[in-house]
Amino acid sequence: MPSIRNITIAGASGNLGKLVIDALIARGEYNVHVLTRNGSDASIPHSVQVTAVDYTSVAELTTTLKGQDVVISTCSPGALESQIPLIEAAIAAGVKRFIPSEFTADIGNLKASALPQYTAQLRIQELLQNATNENPDFSYTSIRNGVFLDWGLAMGFQVDFKSERPALYDGGDRPFSTTTLATVAQAVVGVLGRLDETKNRAIYVHDLVTTQRHLLSLARKIAPERRWEPVSVSTEDMERKARENLAQGKADLISLMGFYCRSVFAEGYGGEFKRVDNKMLGLGYKSDADLEIILRGVLE
Ligand SMILES: NC(=O)c1ccc[n+]([C@@H]2O[C@H](COP(=O)([O-])OP(=O)(O)OC[C@H]3O[C@@H](n4cnc5c(N)ncnc54)[C@H](OP(=O)(O)O)[C@@H]3O)[C@@H](O)[C@H]2O)c1
């Protein structure tokens, strides 16, 4: 595959996108271009060219993407369908690689993929696969990274340390893969350096594998004065509740949390990645010492 220089990021002002921009700029090899929605008040580094677009207009997007080698989407979870015209435009403009806004659990796992919250990601995946069959010069790479480690801890997802009675799902001993936002951004950069090896497939990365109980034991070491009395929660019950919420039209993150917990903490859903592409992408792993530093930041 020819070398690449021109990179466009859609949704670059979000939690993940900011770090992807930083990682691409730090690499110093690429012309970085950002797409924002018309009317967005996104804050983007001054050195980066920004174009406000209408994500529903394939014609406008095609014109904007002319000359771009790669499109990376880090758009918000609620806007995944906006990638459909973007993909169409990328193909029309001659873009060589599309990295969709996936960055998630193992949706290649049959049980996880049956959960309703991944419908949009799977639709995009199918669309990309079909597009590469019909357009040999176009290709894609999906990135799967498990739970965002630092973002998730700050949100109380892996363990809610703000609560005195945090939930331990299905016993709290099930290992799961987790990755910081900065490592996910490095994985994006890694893909750009390994275009052939990452062509038309999902790649898997993680910083480490841990369990809820391990996180709790590290937290107790860091903050011995804090008292946590965890409560047992069944992810099967949570999934049932999330399905009830969905049936009632409640589709916010909290209402659907049961699906996310199921895909990460339940047995057989692929929460722990058994095979990762860290080495191929030039990524290392994090240790317990690194985890303690991240946890310290969250607990303070
Ligand atoms: N694995 C995990 O634990 C985990 C956790 C959270 C998220 N994720 C995934 O990571 C990806 C990025 O999530 P994020 O939290 O970084 O996203 P985010 O911060 O919620 O949003 C990213 C950007 O999307 C753009 N956007 C918002 N609404 C849009 C719309 N209707 N149409 C087009 N663009 C829109 C905005 O950029 P502009 O204002 O510049 O247009 C926004 O800054 C998603 O795929 C998400 O599912 C994974």
Side-chain angles (χ1 to χ4, degrees):
M1 193 147 175
S3 65
I4 49 164
R5 280 199 74 72
N6 299 327
I7 318 273
T8 288
I9 315 175
S13 57
N15 299 308
L16 177 61
K18 283 181 194 151
L19 281 99
V20 172
I21 292 194
D22 290 348
L24 288 171
I25 293 174
R27 191 79 184 181
E29 291 176 20
Y30 305 119
N31 302 316
V32 182
H33 176 208
V34 161
L35 305 185
T36 57
R37 290 163 296 164
N38 282 325
S40 164
D41 56 3
S43 156
I44 306 290
H46 292 304
S47 60
V48 173
Q49 186 199 340
V50 181
T51 308
V53 291
D54 171 1
Y55 277 109
T56 65
S57 169
V58 175
E60 183 186 328
L61 290 166
T62 304
T63 306
T64 307
L65 294 180
K66 280 269 186 268
Q68 296 300 301
D69 299 309
V70 175
V71 174
I72 301 162
S73 173
T74 53
C75 72
S76 64
L80 300 181
E81 304 275 332
S82 72
Q83 296 174 107
I84 295 172
L86 187 63
I87 292 167
E88 202 180 315
I91 295 166
V95 166
K96 301 178 186 78
R97 178 65 50 95
F98 191 96
I99 300 180
S101 193
E102 193 174 296
F103 308 108
T104 189
D106 181 7
I107 61 169
N109 175 289
L110 282 181
K111 284 181 158 182
S113 66
L115 293 168
Q117 84 273 29
Y118 297 128
T119 306
Q121 285 92 338
L122 289 164
R123 185 169 173 219
I124 297 294
Q125 172 84 25
E126 190 185 353
L127 196 138
L128 286 168
Q129 273 166 1
N130 292 340
T132 57
N133 293 338
E134 289 159 20
N135 305 277
D137 292 336
F138 178 71
S139 59
Y140 79 92
T141 307
S142 303
I143 299 179
R144 297 178 184 158
N145 42 252
V147 190
F148 289 161
L149 173 54
D150 40 359
W151 182 90
L153 284 171
M155 297 279 290
F157 180 77
Q158 295 95 326
V159 178
D160 184 4
F161 291 111
K162 290 196 184 86
S163 166
E164 288 181 355
R165 297 173 64 74
L168 289 186
Y169 305 111
D170 296 351
D173 287 315
R174 187 146 298 122
F176 61 90
S177 291
T178 181
T179 314
T180 58
L181 290 166
T183 300
V184 178
Q186 289 304 329
V188 172
V189 174
V191 166
L192 303 185
R194 293 282 185 168
L195 290 172
D196 289 329
E197 296 89 334
T198 59
K199 184 176 176 181
N200 298 340
R201 72 179 187 93
I203 58 110
Y204 290 79
V205 296
H206 60 208
D207 273 326
L208 50 87
V209 171
T210 188
T211 68
Q212 286 191 289
R213 282 192 191 275
H214 185 61
L215 288 169
L216 197 55
S217 74
L218 289 179
R220 285 184 166 131
K221 196 172 99 181
I222 294 166
E225 73 289 357
R226 298 276 303 271
R227 288 283 170 268
W228 288 288
E229 289 178 24
V231 290
S232 230
V233 175
S234 146
T235 60
E236 193 177 355
D237 291 347
M238 288 184 78
E239 181 186 343
R240 198 174 307 115
K241 183 69 194 153
R243 285 192 187 277
E244 282 168 20
N245 288 339
L246 199 57
Q248 290 165 17
K250 297 180 200 157
D252 58 281
L253 188 62
I254 300 297
S255 302
L256 304 187
M257 193 50 75
F259 297 138
Y260 291 100
C261 287
R262 196 88 168 123
S263 70
V264 173
F265 302 110
E267 183 165 22
Y269 283 72
E272 178 187 7
F273 298 167
K274 295 293 187 191
R275 196 192 60 77
V276 287
D277 297 290
N278 285 41
K279 192 170 175 205
M280 184 252 292
L281 298 171
L283 303 175
Y285 297 93
K286 292 207 188 304
S287 63
D288 257 10
D290 299 318
L291 190 51
E292 276 192 45
I293 292 169
I294 294 167
L295 263 178
R296 221 173 264 283
V298 172
L299 294 171
E300 282 162 7

Coordinates of all heavy atoms in Angstrom, one line a residue, residues 10-17 34-37 40-42 44 55 73-80 82 101-105 121 145-148 151-152 181, ligand 1:
A10 N -13.0 12.8 11.9 CA -14.3 13.3 12.1 C -14.7 13.1 13.6 O -14.4 12.0 14.1 CB -15.3 12.6 11.2
G11 N -15.2 14.2 14.2 CA -15.5 14.0 15.6 C -14.3 14.1 16.5 O -14.2 13.5 17.6
A12 N -13.4 15.0 16.1 CA -12.1 15.0 16.8 C -12.1 15.8 18.1 O -11.1 15.9 18.8 CB -11.0 15.6 15.8
S13 N -13.2 16.4 18.4 CA -13.2 17.2 19.6 C -13.7 16.5 20.9 O -13.8 17.0 21.9 CB -14.1 18.4 19.4 OG -15.4 18.0 19.1
G14 N -13.9 15.2 20.7 CA -14.5 14.4 21.8 C -13.4 13.8 22.7 O -12.2 14.1 22.6
N15 N -13.9 12.9 23.6 CA -13.0 12.3 24.6 C -11.8 11.6 23.9 O -10.7 11.8 24.3 CB -13.8 11.2 25.4 CG -15.0 11.8 26.1 OD1 -14.8 12.7 26.9 ND2 -16.2 11.2 25.9
L16 N -12.1 10.8 22.9 CA -11.0 10.1 22.3 C -10.4 10.9 21.2 O -9.1 10.9 21.0 CB -11.6 8.8 21.7 CG -10.6 7.9 20.9 CD1 -9.5 7.4 21.7 CD2 -11.3 6.7 20.2
G17 N -11.2 11.6 20.4 CA -10.6 12.3 19.2 C -9.5 13.3 19.6 O -8.5 13.4 18.9
V34 N -9.4 18.3 10.2 CA -10.5 17.9 11.1 C -11.9 18.3 10.5 O -12.0 19.4 10.0 CB -10.4 18.5 12.5 CG1 -11.6 18.5 13.3 CG2 -9.3 17.7 13.3
L35 N -12.9 17.4 10.6 CA -14.3 17.7 10.3 C -15.0 18.0 11.6 O -14.9 17.2 12.5 CB -14.9 16.6 9.5 CG -14.3 16.1 8.2 CD1 -15.2 15.1 7.6 CD2 -14.0 17.3 7.3
T36 N -15.8 19.0 11.6 CA -16.7 19.2 12.7 C -18.1 19.5 12.1 O -18.2 19.8 10.9 CB -16.4 20.5 13.6 OG1 -16.4 21.6 12.7 CG2 -15.1 20.4 14.3
R37 N -19.1 19.3 13.0 CA -20.5 19.6 12.5 C -20.6 21.1 12.3 O -20.1 21.8 13.1 CB -21.5 19.1 13.5 CG -21.7 17.6 13.7 CD -22.4 17.3 15.0 NE -21.6 17.8 16.1 CZ -22.0 17.9 17.3 NH1 -23.3 17.7 17.6 NH2 -21.2 18.3 18.3
S40 N -20.8 23.5 15.4 CA -20.1 22.9 16.6 C -19.2 24.0 17.2 O -18.6 24.8 16.5 CB -19.3 21.7 16.1 OG -18.4 21.4 17.1
D41 N -19.1 24.0 18.5 CA -18.2 24.9 19.2 C -16.9 24.1 19.6 O -16.2 24.4 20.5 CB -18.8 25.6 20.4 CG -19.4 24.6 21.4 OD1 -19.2 23.3 21.1 OD2 -19.9 25.0 22.4
A42 N -16.6 23.1 18.7 CA -15.4 22.3 19.0 C -14.1 23.1 19.2 O -13.9 24.0 18.4 CB -15.2 21.3 17.9
I44 N -10.3 22.9 18.7 CA -9.3 22.1 17.9 C -8.0 22.9 17.9 O -8.0 24.1 17.8 CB -9.8 21.9 16.5 CG1 -11.2 21.3 16.4 CG2 -8.8 21.0 15.7 CD1 -11.4 19.9 16.9
Y55 N -23.0 16.5 7.8 CA -22.7 15.1 7.7 C -23.7 14.3 6.9 O -23.5 13.1 6.7 CB -22.5 14.5 9.1 CG -21.2 14.7 9.7 CD1 -21.0 15.5 10.8 CD2 -20.1 14.0 9.2 CE1 -19.7 15.7 11.4 CE2 -18.8 14.1 9.8 CZ -18.7 15.0 10.9 OH -17.4 15.1 11.4
S73 N -12.8 8.1 12.1 CA -14.0 8.7 12.8 C -13.9 8.4 14.3 O -13.8 7.2 14.7 CB -15.3 8.1 12.2 OG -16.4 8.5 12.9
T74 N -14.0 9.4 15.1 CA -14.1 9.2 16.5 C -15.4 9.9 17.0 O -15.5 10.5 18.0 CB -12.9 9.8 17.3 OG1 -12.7 11.2 16.8 CG2 -11.6 9.1 17.0
C75 N -16.5 9.8 16.1 CA -17.7 10.5 16.4 C -18.4 9.8 17.6 O -18.1 8.7 18.0 CB -18.6 10.5 15.2 SG -19.3 9.0 14.8
S76 N -19.3 10.6 18.2 CA -19.9 10.1 19.5 C -20.8 8.8 19.3 O -21.2 8.6 18.2 CB -20.8 11.2 20.1 OG -21.8 11.5 19.2
P77 N -20.9 8.1 20.4 CA -21.7 6.8 20.2 C -23.1 7.0 19.7 O -23.6 6.1 19.0 CB -21.8 6.3 21.7 CG -20.9 7.1 22.5 CD -20.4 8.3 21.7
G78 N -23.7 8.2 19.9 CA -25.0 8.4 19.5 C -25.1 8.9 18.0 O -26.2 9.1 17.5
A79 N -23.9 9.0 17.4 CA -23.9 9.6 16.0 C -23.3 8.6 15.0 O -22.8 9.0 13.9 CB -23.1 10.9 16.0
L80 N -23.3 7.3 15.3 CA -22.6 6.3 14.5 C -23.2 6.3 13.1 O -22.4 6.0 12.1 CB -22.6 5.0 15.1 CG -21.9 4.9 16.5 CD1 -21.9 3.5 17.1 CD2 -20.4 5.4 16.4
S82 N -24.1 8.6 11.3 CA -23.6 9.7 10.5 C -22.4 9.3 9.7 O -22.0 10.0 8.8 CB -23.2 10.9 11.4 OG -22.0 10.6 12.1
S101 N -15.7 4.7 14.0 CA -15.8 5.0 15.4 C -16.4 3.7 16.1 O -17.6 3.6 16.2 CB -16.7 6.2 15.7 OG -16.6 6.6 17.0
E102 N -15.5 2.8 16.4 CA -15.9 1.6 17.1 C -15.3 1.6 18.5 O -16.0 1.8 19.5 CB -15.5 0.4 16.3 CG -16.1 -0.9 16.8 CD -15.8 -2.1 15.9 OE1 -16.2 -2.1 14.7 OE2 -15.2 -3.0 16.4
F103 N -14.0 1.3 18.6 CA -13.2 1.5 19.9 C -14.0 0.9 21.1 O -14.2 1.5 22.1 CB -13.0 3.0 20.1 CG -12.3 3.6 18.9 CD1 -13.1 4.5 18.1 CD2 -11.0 3.3 18.5 CE1 -12.5 5.1 17.0 CE2 -10.5 3.9 17.4 CZ -11.2 4.8 16.7
T104 N -14.3 -0.4 20.9 CA -15.3 -0.9 21.9 C -14.9 -2.3 22.4 O -13.8 -2.7 22.3 CB -16.7 -0.9 21.2 OG1 -17.7 -1.1 22.1 CG2 -16.8 -1.8 20.0
A105 N -15.9 -3.0 22.9 CA -15.8 -4.4 23.3 C -15.6 -5.3 22.1 O -15.5 -4.8 21.0 CB -17.0 -4.8 24.1
Q121 N -22.7 -0.3 15.3 CA -21.3 -0.6 15.0 C -21.3 -1.8 14.0 O -20.5 -1.8 13.1 CB -20.5 -1.1 16.3 CG -20.1 0.1 17.2 CD -21.2 0.4 18.3 OE1 -22.3 0.0 18.1 NE2 -20.7 1.0 19.3
N145 N -10.8 -2.2 21.8 CA -9.9 -2.0 22.9 C -10.5 -2.2 24.3 O -9.9 -1.9 25.3 CB -9.4 -0.5 22.9 CG -10.6 0.5 22.5 OD1 -10.6 1.0 21.4 ND2 -11.5 0.6 23.5
G146 N -11.7 -2.9 24.4 CA -12.3 -3.1 25.7 C -12.7 -1.7 26.3 O -12.8 -0.7 25.6
V147 N -12.9 -1.8 27.6 CA -13.3 -0.5 28.3 C -12.2 0.5 28.3 O -11.0 0.1 28.5 CB -13.6 -0.8 29.8 CG1 -14.2 0.4 30.5 CG2 -14.3 -2.1 30.0
F148 N -12.5 1.8 28.1 CA -11.5 2.8 28.2 C -11.1 2.8 29.7 O -11.9 3.0 30.6 CB -12.1 4.2 27.9 CG -12.3 4.4 26.4 CD1 -13.2 5.5 26.0 CD2 -11.7 3.7 25.4 CE1 -13.4 5.7 24.7 CE2 -12.0 3.9 24.1 CZ -12.8 4.9 23.7
W151 N -10.9 6.7 31.4 CA -12.2 7.3 31.2 C -13.2 6.5 32.0 O -14.1 7.1 32.7 CB -12.5 7.3 29.7 CG -13.9 8.0 29.4 CD1 -14.1 9.3 29.1 CD2 -15.1 7.3 29.2 NE1 -15.4 9.5 28.7 CE2 -16.1 8.3 28.8 CE3 -15.5 6.0 29.4 CZ2 -17.4 8.0 28.6 CZ3 -16.9 5.7 29.2 CH2 -17.8 6.7 28.8
G152 N -13.2 5.2 31.9 CA -14.1 4.3 32.6 C -14.0 4.4 34.1 O -15.0 4.5 34.8
L181 N -7.3 5.9 27.0 CA -7.5 6.7 25.8 C -6.2 7.0 25.0 O -6.2 6.9 23.8 CB -8.2 8.0 26.1 CG -9.6 8.0 26.6 CD1 -10.0 9.3 27.3 CD2 -10.6 7.6 25.5
Ligands
LIG1 N1 -14.6 1.4 25.0 C1 -15.2 2.3 25.8 O1 -15.1 2.2 27.1 C2 -15.8 3.5 25.2 C3 -16.3 4.5 26.0 C4 -16.8 5.7 25.4 C5 -16.9 5.8 24.1 N2 -16.4 4.7 23.3 C6 -16.5 4.8 21.8 O2 -15.5 5.7 21.4 C7 -15.9 6.5 20.3 C8 -15.7 8.0 20.6 O3 -16.5 8.3 21.7 P1 -16.3 9.7 22.5 O4 -16.8 9.5 23.9 O5 -14.9 10.2 22.3 O6 -17.3 10.6 21.7 P2 -17.9 12.0 22.2 O7 -16.8 12.7 23.0 O8 -19.2 11.8 22.8 O9 -18.1 12.8 20.8 C9 -17.1 12.9 19.8 C10 -17.5 14.0 18.8 O10 -18.5 13.5 18.0 C11 -19.1 14.7 17.3 N3 -20.5 14.5 17.2 C12 -21.4 14.7 18.2 N4 -22.7 14.5 17.8 C13 -22.6 14.2 16.5 C14 -23.5 14.0 15.4 N5 -24.8 14.0 15.6 N6 -23.0 13.8 14.2 C15 -21.7 13.8 13.9 N7 -20.8 14.0 14.9 C16 -21.2 14.3 16.1 C17 -18.6 15.9 18.1 O11 -17.6 16.6 17.4 P3 -17.8 18.0 16.7 O12 -18.5 18.9 17.7 O13 -16.5 18.4 16.4 O14 -18.7 17.7 15.5 C18 -18.0 15.2 19.4 O15 -17.0 16.0 20.0 C19 -17.4 6.0 20.0 O16 -17.4 5.1 19.0 C20 -17.8 5.4 21.3 O17 -18.8 4.4 21.2 C21 -15.9 3.6 23.8

